[in-house]
């Protein structure tokens, strides 16, 4: 861990209390939260049992919690099925014909899928998977765009106890291949093309290249998004979704799964080059995701809930698919870019479908802001009652814009802090209760014991910067890193191992401080993980993609604050001595190279060529120094010139002392 001094100059005094009208419509009062907090402080395990009871169980659990540092188990012996909890439980109620998903395609087509229809489609696909020989415990990779079929694919896996591994549709064939191979997926569900910014994204074509190097894949199921595209299909391996499901009845029984049966693997970036397969199980995840939707989104029968995340990220798992569907909510799903064909698209969608809850990311808000107020002002946004953000700290300016221009000073904003690893929201305001200050995710939800601590584990003073930890395991936490228990232990549980005072703290990787009101202010990552446009990237991942280029000798990637994206990536690159290149052309070539190795989201914003990188005597690249150079503007301007770090020799010496 970098024991750097974490400091912040942010001072924010504005405070916003929930309006009386919002409170009057909510079933959650200050008393509700107080009694939940009381129960949690008396017995946190009993608290979570209480929440788990809200789910449908085929058989109740025998053991509520087991802690064998650093491995946890929740609700062992209990049998449930998450697709049952998202679908079947609604069919005997008047939600059966309620819209589960309203989908708007980028070109403007609208599809409404009721709970009954969704159940049927999920069952048909589940039958098809079984027919192909996919068994309980097998891994199924999903590489799709934002279509309802992506949700169906996840739920179909959950129905038969297959483990889904959703891979973001923007990832390259290399990233796709690595994630399929690491998880040993036996089947890949994809689509011919996805539509984005008016273009067709050739998902099946990319999948074909990846599958050629994926020995474990036996079958692929291809959803036909376009009626006109020609898609090569490999006989015996590739199957059209519509053909495979055509003769299925659509009513297979859900597999009764142990609470600790794996639900999904989702790859995320860490501080080393290799992405981690974050491994989540069924019962605890479902319990806490369900609970958080109720508390944070104050979900109601009449809500139309719109989350702009992609299914390829954890937000798309917990808060597009499982969370809202467990509550029988109507989910608005949009296929394309929210600013396409004009910057007004997202606001038109909200007006057209009477969206009541909007959940998006600060980077998206900043991008909406950059187009000016006239776009949101052109649409009727009066259906909105609650706004949410996730992914990075929201700067107060963007918060105020979201609050006033979008929410018309009438909608609480829930700034939700969580991670792929925590599975569900950990820190957030309760919209009907919490007094909110822009820029802070406020306080942990009842049942979550989070704190800001020093490296020895002691609690920080008010406003003293420290490390954000979670002091007791919670049900929706990742159980391990797929295939790498040691990495799980190292990354999350070894900074604050058990001692005479506690049983070990979960380390989030974030720096934070707590103010005099108990609000937690996230101050960014303390490891080499950066947030670019709400996407989490490991700088080491981008570095290893760069050095994979035949002309590159060494690379160091750092982040630089960026107004819209949150962070921009700056790469310092040393070329092989023998390499002949034109810096301008090589700059573009390397950006394309990284795009191919990882995906467009990882392309560095700037590449700077240098004869050498500043290093410690032991050979460690001094990224801190590079960050300072970029921040102070010591070296700036022409990005294609060679940087000479020899002038930094004195700095290097100081650093070593
Ligand atoms: C990291 C987790 C959880 C879904 C999206 C990102 C940062 C997340 C907030 C917030 C400040 C935030 C943290 C965290 N982060 N939400 N509300 N305020 N920072 O999931 O890709 O797993 O990234 O995102 O640094 O550790 P992820």
């Amino acid at each position: 861990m970098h024991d750097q001094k974490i400091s912040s100059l942010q001072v924010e005094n504005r405070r916003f209390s929930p309006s009386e009208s919002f409170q009057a419509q909510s079933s959650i009062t200050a008393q509700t939260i107080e009694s939940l907090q009381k129960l949690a402080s008396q017995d946190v395990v009993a608290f979570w049992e209480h929440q788990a009871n809200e789910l449908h169980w085929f058989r109740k659990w025998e053991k509520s919690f087991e802690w064998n540092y650093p491995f946890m188990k929740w609700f062992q012996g209990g049998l449930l099925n998450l697709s049952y909890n998202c679908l079947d439980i609604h069919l005997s109620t008047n939600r059966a014909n309620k819209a589960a998903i309203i989908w708007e395609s980028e070109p403007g087509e609208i599809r409404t899928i009721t709970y009954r229809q969704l159940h049927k489609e999920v069952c048909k696909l589940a039958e098809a998977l079984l027919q192909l020989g996919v068994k309980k415990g097998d891994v199924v990779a999903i590489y799709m765009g934002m279509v309802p079929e992506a949700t169906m694919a996840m739920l179909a896996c959950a129905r038969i106890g297959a483990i889904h591994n959703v891979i973001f549709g923007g990832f390259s064939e290399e990233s796709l291949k690595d994630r399929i191979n690491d998880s040993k997926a036996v089947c890949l569900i994809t689509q011919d093309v996805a539509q984005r910014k008016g273009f067709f994204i050739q998902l099946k074509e990319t999948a074909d290249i990846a599958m050629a190097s994926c020995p474990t894949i036996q079958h692929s199921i291809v959803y036909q998004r376009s009626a006109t595209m020609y898609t090569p299909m490999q006989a015996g391996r590739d199957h059209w979704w519509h053909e495979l499901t055509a003769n299925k009845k659509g009513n297979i029984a859900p597999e009764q799964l142990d609470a600790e049966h794996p639900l999904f693997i989702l790859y995320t970036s860490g501080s080393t080059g290799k992405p981690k397969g974050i491994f989540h199980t069924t019962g605890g995840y479902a319990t806490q995701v369900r609970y958080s939707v109720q508390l944070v989104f104050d979900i109601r029968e009449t809500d139309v809930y719109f989350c702009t995340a992609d299914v390829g990220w954890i937000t798309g798992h917990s808060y597009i698919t499982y969370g809202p569907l467990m509550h029988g909510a109507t989910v608005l799903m949009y296929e394309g870019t929210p600013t396409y064909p004009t910057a007004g698209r997202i606001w038109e969608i909200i007006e057209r479908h009477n969206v009541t809850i909007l959940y998006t990311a600060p980077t998206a808000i900043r991008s909406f802001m950059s187009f000016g107020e006239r776009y949101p002002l052109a649409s009727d946004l009066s259906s909105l009652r609650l706004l949410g953000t996730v992914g990075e700290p929201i700067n107060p300016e963007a918060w105020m814009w979201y609050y006033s221009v979008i929410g018309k000073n009438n909608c609480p904003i829930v700034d939700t802090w969580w991670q792929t690893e925590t599975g569900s929201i950990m820190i957030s305001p309760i919209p009907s209760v919490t007094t909110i200050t822009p820029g802070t995710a406020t306080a942990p939800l009842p049942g979550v014991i989070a704190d800001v601590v020093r490296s020895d584990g002691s609690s920080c003073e008010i406003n003293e910067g420290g490390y954000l930890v979670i002091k007791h395991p919670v049900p929706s936490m990742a159980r391990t890193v797929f295939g790498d228990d040691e990495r799980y232990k190292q990354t999350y549980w070894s900074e604050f191992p058990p001692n005479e005072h506690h049983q070990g703290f979960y380390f989030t990787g974030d720096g934070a401080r707590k103010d005099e009101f108990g609000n937690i202010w996230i101050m960014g990552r303390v490891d080499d993980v950066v947030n670019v446009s709400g996407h989490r990237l490991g700088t080491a991942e981008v570095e290893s993609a760069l050095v994979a280029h035949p002309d590159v000798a060494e690379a160091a990637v750092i982040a630089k604050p960026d107004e819209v994206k949150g962070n921009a990536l700056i790469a310092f690159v040393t070329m092989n001595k023998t390499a002949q290149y034109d810096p301008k052309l090589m700059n573009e070539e390397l950006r394309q190279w990284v795009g191919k190795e990882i995906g467009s989201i990882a392309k560095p914003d700037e590449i700077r060529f240098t004869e050498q990188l500043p290093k410690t005597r032991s050979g460690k690249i001094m990224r801190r120094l590079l960050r300072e150079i970029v921040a102070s503007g010591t070296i700036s301007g022409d990005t294609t010139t060679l940087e000479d770090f020899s002038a930094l020799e004195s700095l290097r010496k100081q650093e070593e002392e």
Side-chain angles (χ1 to χ4, degrees), residues 168 170-171 313 532 535-537 565 569 595 598-603:
F168 174 55
F171 276 136
W313 311 117
V532 179
H535 299 305
R536 178 164 148 186
L537 285 169
K565 297 164 67 166
L569 290 181
I598 305 176
S600 284
I601 50 170
K603 285 182 185 169

Side-chain angles (χ1 to χ4, degrees), residues 268 314-315 390-393 415-421 441 508 510 522 525 531 536:
T268 190
I314 188 69
T315 312
V390 60
E392 59 181 307
D415 175 352
T416 61
W417 179 92
W418 57 296
Q419 310 177 296
T420 307
E421 294 86 342
T508 62
D510 281 0
I522 306 295
R525 303 283 309 189
N531 201 309
R536 178 164 148 186

Side-chain angles (χ1 to χ4, degrees), residues 35-100:
S35 60
L36 286 173
Q37 250 141 11
K38 196 167 157 214
L39 181 58
S41 65
Q42 283 161 353
D43 184 344
V44 73
V45 173
F47 174 89
W48 287 116
E49 283 200 79
H50 191 70
Q51 298 308 328
N53 269 323
E54 297 289 313
L55 297 172
H56 169 275
W57 296 84
F58 297 114
R59 187 178 79 197
K60 234 193 122 166
W61 57 90
E62 283 143 20
K63 193 170 184 190
S64 42
F65 176 59
E66 185 187 291
W67 180 234
N68 180 10
Y69 167 82
F71 302 105
M72 69 185 82
K73 287 184 175 158
W74 288 87
F75 315 122
Q76 278 177 91
L79 294 178
L80 81 166
N81 183 288
L82 194 39
S83 94
Y84 188 94
N85 273 280
C86 288
L87 303 170
D88 306 52
I89 58 160
H90 306 306
L91 298 187
S92 56
T93 73
N94 48 17
R95 286 181 186 146
N97 296 318
K98 178 180 175 177

